[in-house]
Amino acid sequence: MATSSHPMIPVPQAIRTVLTKTAEMMNEKAVPTEKIPVIVRTSENEGEVPNNSSYPSQLVGRIAAETIKAIKGYPLYTASVMDGYAINIDGVFDTLNRECEDYSKDMISAVIKFKVVERVYAGASKDISDDTVSTETSLEAVYVTTGAPIPSQFDCVVPIEQVDDSAEAFIRIDRTVLASAKKNQWVRLVGCDITPNTTILSKGQLVETVHVGLLTQIAIHEVEVNCMPRVGILSTGNELVSQFEGTNGASQYDGMIPDANGPVILSLLMSYGSCCPVHLGIAEDDNINRLTLLLRESILQNDVVITTGGISMGEMDCVEEALVKNLGCQLHFGRLHMKPGKPTSFFTAHLDGKQTLIFALPGNPVSAMVCAELLVRPCLDMIHSGIIGKLPNMVENAIVHSEVNATLMDIVKLDMERPEYHRVSLTFAVDEKNGLKVSASSTGIQRSSRLMSMCEVDGLLLLPQGIKGGKDTSNVGENYQTLLVRRPTCNAGFFSGIQVKDSLHLGDNAPLAIGLIEVLGSIVNDTNVNSDQYKNLSRRLLDAIGPNDAIVVQSKKTNLIFSLQDQLKEMGTSLDLIVVVGTDTSFRDNLEISNEIKPILTKNASAMALAIVQGASENAPLATLSEPVAGYTNFGSLLISTPNEGLEGAFGNVKYLIRQALSKLKN
C-alpha cells in the first residue's frame, strides 16, 4: 500500500507556517492600488432606471491607500435644523428693549408680530437681497424648511409649532417664546458637523459604510485603495463535470460527479470580502503536462491559487508532482494531523519574479471547505489588511478564528489516529451565574464527502485523538475548545476573530511538533531494525509526553553518527522539539553523539539534561552511563538526546519543563 513520505503536522503549526509565508510575500513587494468611485452610477441605457440611480458602493470593506481630509468642512452653508421661521434674534431683543423704554407695562403686547419677507426651501439659494429686508425694523422673518439655507441676515429659527402663521403675510410669536430664544438656536452652522481639515479616512484604514456618506458630503468622488488579492480556484479530476455542461443525475451512474468544490470554495471566498476570487474551471488529471501548463498560468495570474483534489496517494494524484518537479515550487507541508483534510498541502511559487501562495486542498468538499476556513481565510485577511512589518509581529498580530468553550451534547467516537475538527451547531444561553453557556450539537455523520454536514455549522469543535486502551469516546456534558466559523463580519472586510497571540488553539498549549532521530549503536545493523520497532519508539515517546500534547512530524533513523549534524539541520526550522534517541549505543557511541550535537547548540539546558538522566535511571540503571544533552539549537528548536532504555522515565521527568523551555525560547 502506498504511503506518503510527508509527515503529518499539527494544524496550529500549519496555520503559523501559512501566515509566515504570507508575511514574507507581503514584505517582498509594494501593495498595488486602484481608484474606486464612491458612488457607482448606472448607465443611461438600463431601461427605465432614472439617470441619478446608482449601485451599492464597492468601497466598503476596502483598505484606503490615501488619507482624505475635509478641507472646507461640512456643511458649507448655514442651514435650518427645523421647519420654522428664521429671525434676527439680536435685532428683536433691541426692538423689544426699546418698547419697554417707550411704553408703559400695560401697553406692551404679549404677542409679537413679524412680517414674512421670504420663503426659503431646502435646495434654494442661501441669501436674499438686502432690498427685501427692511433696515428700519427687525421684526421680519423668513420661512425655512429643514435643511434650507438661512439667509445671512438671520441667526435664529423658531420652530413652526411655536408660531401662529394663520395670516399669509405675518406671523405671531409669544413674547415668552422669544425671551427664551438664543442666537443660533436650531441653526446648523458652517463646519459644525465636520470641522475644516478633519481626517475622514486615513491611509491603511478599512472603509466602512459610514465613510461612503462622509465622502459624499465633502464631495469626494473616488478613493485610492489597496488592490484585493486575486485568488484562482482550480478543480482537478477526470470524474468532474461542470454545471454548465448540463449534466443530469443519470450521468453520475457513469462515474461522473458534478464539480461542487469549485462553486462552493468560490462562494466561500466571496463571503469573506477580502479577495477577488475566480473559478478557473476543471483540470483533467490524466495529462500532467496539460495540468502543469494550467497551474503555471494560474500562478502567474493570481496572488493565491487553490486547487482541489489530486493530492492523495492515488495513481492519478499528480498535483504535487506538477508543482514541485515541473514548476519548481517549494512544499512547506504535505499532510495535516487532523480530520478531515489530512492530504492538505501548502506551497510557494516563484515564477518570472512573482511569488504566489498555493493551497492544494483535498477533493472531498467538506475537507476542502474546512481547510479553506482554517488556512486560507487568515492568509487572505492578512494580505487584505496590507499591514507589513517584522515577520514575527505580523504573525502574532494576524487574525484567526475566535474561540469558545462549548459543552458537547452528543456522544462522539474519537478517531484513533488524528484529532478531529468536528462540525457543530452552537446555541448560546446565560447560565445561573449570568455567564455565557455554549452548547455544541454535532451536525451528524462527519464523512468528508457529506456536504450536508456543513449545513448549520457554527463552529469546529476540537476533539482529541483517541487513546488505545484509554479514552476513545467523547461524552455528553464534556467541554471542548471550539473555533467559531459562522459569525457576523466585523468592520465590513475582516471577520471578528482574535489575534494569534491571544489564541489558545495556536498558543503554548498547542501540540508540540517533534522531530525524532533514532541513532543505531555500533552493535546494531540497520537491517535488523524494522519499521514496526521504530513506530513503537515514536508511540512510546508520545505516550510519555502525552498523546494529545505532541505529534511526531518528522522521523529518521541512522547508524552514521558522524553525519548527525547534517541530519539535524535537514529537519528544518518548523519543529518545537528534536529528540535524538540512542538505541543499543555503547558509552563511546553516547560520547560521539554528544560531541556531534553540542556544536549546534546556542545554549545548554544542563538542568534538563540532569533531569533526563535521573528519570531514565529509575527504570534503567545503565542510563546513568549515557551522555544526555539538552539545549537550544541555532535553528530555533529545543533539542534533547536520551538513551532508548528508560525513555519513558526520562520524558516523564521533563515533559513539563519542555513547555517552559520553549516559552523561554520564543521570548
Side-chain angles (χ1 to χ4, degrees):
M1 182 176 67
T3 58
S4 173
S5 60
H6 303 313
M8 289 191 294
I9 71 168
V11 174
Q13 181 187 346
I15 294 173
R16 284 184 173 273
T17 299
V18 167
L19 292 174
T20 299
K21 294 303 172 183
T22 303
E24 288 178 358
M25 183 184 77
M26 292 174 64
N27 275 290
E28 281 189 3
K29 63 177 183 179
V31 179
T33 63
E34 60 181 333
K35 292 279 190 178
I36 298 291
V38 176
I39 298 176
V40 183
R41 298 290 297 272
T42 57
S43 62
E44 295 181 0
N45 59 358
E46 294 193 18
E48 300 299 323
V49 178
N51 289 337
N52 61 352
S53 61
S54 62
Y55 293 114
S57 174
Q58 302 300 307
L59 269 179
V60 176
R62 302 298 294 270
I63 302 298
E66 62 176 330
T67 296
I68 296 177
K69 293 180 178 290
I71 303 302
K72 296 181 179 180
Y74 181 84
L76 298 177
Y77 60 87
T78 302
S80 175
V81 179
M82 304 281 285
D83 288 344
Y85 288 85
I87 60 175
N88 183 332
I89 193 62
D90 286 340
V92 170
F93 285 153
D94 290 342
T95 300
L96 296 182
N97 289 336
R98 285 197 301 269
E99 283 188 358
C100 292
E101 294 174 357
D102 298 340
Y103 302 97
S104 61
K105 184 176 181 181
D106 57 351
M107 294 177 65
I108 298 176
S109 174
V111 176
I112 307 301
K113 185 168 71 171
F114 291 80
K115 180 183 178 181
V116 178
V117 297
E118 188 63 85
R119 306 181 80 82
V120 182
Y121 303 96
S125 173
K126 68 176 182 178
D127 269 331
I128 59 177
S129 67
D130 290 336
D131 295 338
T132 306
V133 181
S134 171
T135 58
E136 298 179 357
T137 177
S138 298
L139 299 183
E140 294 175 330
V142 173
Y143 173 74
V144 289
T145 59
T146 302
I150 296 177
S152 59
Q153 299 91 335
F154 302 90
D155 57 13
C156 174
V157 174
V158 180
I160 197 169
E161 296 86 354
Q162 298 176 353
V163 175
D164 176 4
D165 59 353
S166 56
E168 288 189 11
F170 294 92
I171 60 170
R172 293 176 174 83
I173 304 176
D174 284 354
R175 187 180 290 269
T176 55
V177 171
L178 293 172
S180 62
K182 298 178 181 179
K183 188 173 182 177
N184 296 327
Q185 173 180 283
W186 302 116
V187 173
R188 190 171 58 176
L189 298 174
V190 172
C192 67
D193 289 349
I194 305 174
T195 56
N197 293 316
T198 296
T199 298
I200 301 300
L201 202 56
S202 298
K203 183 177 180 179
Q205 186 176 359
L206 188 78
V207 181
E208 301 183 53
T209 51
V210 66
H211 292 121
V212 176
L214 292 171
L215 293 166
T216 303
Q217 286 182 334
I218 64 172
I220 297 296
H221 302 296
E222 61 180 10
V223 178
E224 187 175 2
V225 298
N226 292 347
C227 292
M228 290 201 294
R230 288 180 53 85
V231 183
I233 304 160
L234 184 66
S235 306
T236 70
N238 289 358
E239 75 281 10
L240 299 180
V241 61
S242 169
Q243 184 75 12
F244 297 109
E245 295 179 26
T247 181
N248 54 43
S251 67
Q252 297 187 37
Y253 292 102
D254 300 325
M256 304 297 290
I257 60 173
D259 173 29
N261 280 344
V264 79
I265 297 299
L266 180 67
S267 300
L268 185 65
L269 299 191
M270 283 292 294
S271 72
Y272 295 165
S274 58
C275 66
C276 295
V278 59
H279 186 213
L280 303 174
I282 300 171
E284 296 180 353
D285 51 17
D286 58 354
N287 186 331
I288 191 169
N289 292 329
R290 174 62 179 162
L291 177 61
T292 300
L293 288 175
L294 287 173
L295 286 170
R296 177 181 173 81
E297 184 178 351
S298 303
I299 289 169
L300 292 176
Q301 293 180 353
N302 296 279
D303 302 296
V304 177
V305 171
I306 299 173
T307 66
T308 61
I311 52 166
S312 294
M313 296 305 299
E315 293 181 3
M316 306 297 286
D317 293 325
C318 53
V319 170
E320 181 181 330
E321 181 182 353
L323 289 171
V324 176
K325 183 178 178 181
N326 296 355
L327 294 175
C329 299
Q330 182 179 0
L331 174 69
H332 298 286
F333 57 79
R335 289 196 303 168
L336 295 181
H337 189 236
M338 69 171 292
K339 177 184 178 182
K342 181 172 73 172
T344 299
S345 304
F346 176 61
F347 310 80
T348 50
H350 289 81
L351 296 180
D352 296 349
K354 178 181 181 297
Q355 184 171 349
T356 305
L357 306 175
I358 305 166
F359 296 88
L361 305 181
N364 280 317
V366 172
S367 300
M369 285 190 72
V370 169
C371 292
E373 184 70 30
L374 289 173
L375 301 175
V376 180
R377 186 168 197 164
C379 161
L380 295 177
D381 194 73
M382 176 184 273
I383 299 174
H384 178 50
S385 74
I387 301 173
I388 60 174
K390 294 182 179 179
L391 294 186
N393 293 340
M394 291 179 68
V395 172
E396 291 302 312
N397 292 327
I399 302 297
V400 291
H401 297 81
S402 295
E403 304 162 4
V404 296
N405 279 323
T407 302
L408 186 60
M409 306 303 290
D410 306 280
I411 297 175
V412 179
K413 187 173 179 59
L414 299 178
D415 188 273
M416 303 305 289
E417 298 295 330
R418 293 169 285 163
E420 181 178 2
Y421 287 68
H422 196 93
R423 283 88 72 196
V424 293
S425 58
L426 301 174
T427 57
F428 298 85
V430 178
D431 62 19
E432 61 276 4
K433 297 182 180 179
N434 292 323
L436 181 65
K437 180 181 180 181
V438 185
S439 300
S441 300
S442 173
T443 58
I445 298 172
Q446 300 284 295
R447 190 165 52 244
S448 59
S449 63
R450 184 176 176 262
L451 203 52
M452 285 294 294
S453 67
M454 291 298 293
C455 294
E456 305 301 324
V457 166
D458 299 307
L460 299 173
L461 186 137
L462 277 54
L463 291 176
Q465 178 180 335
I467 301 174
K468 188 175 182 179
K471 185 172 179 59
D472 60 2
T473 303
S474 289
N475 296 306
V476 175
E478 294 179 348
N479 292 322
Y480 293 97
Q481 186 182 15
T482 304
L483 308 181
L484 301 182
V485 297
R486 183 191 298 220
R487 57 252 183 261
T489 56
C490 175
N491 291 333
F494 298 101
F495 66 86
S496 54
I498 58 175
Q499 292 181 308
V500 168
K501 60 187 177 184
D502 298 322
S503 169
L504 295 177
H505 178 225
L506 304 182
D508 292 337
N509 291 324
L512 299 176
I514 297 178
L516 176 60
I517 297 182
E518 183 180 20
V519 180
L520 309 178
S522 56
I523 60 172
V524 178
N525 192 306
D526 187 28
T527 57
N528 294 333
V529 181
N530 57 46
S531 59
D532 290 339
Q533 187 176 357
Y534 177 78
K535 186 175 182 180
N536 182 52
L537 177 62
S538 178
R539 175 54 59 189
R540 286 169 56 206
L541 176 62
L542 293 179
D543 286 343
I545 296 177
N548 284 305
D549 294 328
I551 174 175
V552 175
V553 299
Q554 292 192 50
S555 55
K556 297 181 180 182
K557 60 181 177 180
T558 182
N559 56 7
L560 301 175
I561 298 176
F562 63 86
S563 67
L564 187 56
Q565 276 191 30
D566 293 334
Q567 296 189 56
L568 287 168
K569 293 176 182 177
E570 287 174 3
M571 286 195 152
T573 60
S574 61
L575 298 172
D576 297 309
L577 173 65
I578 298 176
V579 178
V580 178
V581 177
T583 298
D584 288 340
T585 49
S586 65
F587 180 71
R588 180 174 180 175
D589 292 333
N590 292 330
L591 284 176
E592 290 181 355
I593 292 173
S594 175
N595 290 333
E596 278 290 306
I597 291 175
K598 287 180 179 178
I600 64 173
L601 297 181
T602 58
K603 185 177 180 180
N604 289 313
S606 303
M608 184 177 291
L610 179 60
I612 290 170
V613 172
Q614 293 173 340
S617 61
E618 289 182 3
N619 297 319
L622 290 178
T624 55
L625 300 177
S626 63
E627 286 284 328
V629 175
Y632 303 109
T633 69
N634 53 19
F635 42 87
S637 301
L638 179 66
L639 188 150
I640 293 175
S641 71
T642 181
N644 194 322
E645 299 80 5
L647 176 74
E648 291 82 356
F651 277 91
N653 211 30
V654 299
K655 62 181 179 180
Y656 299 111
L657 295 177
I658 291 173
R659 293 280 184 185
Q660 296 177 17
L662 287 171
S663 178
K664 189 176 296 184
L665 177 62
K666 290 179 181 179
N667 295 329

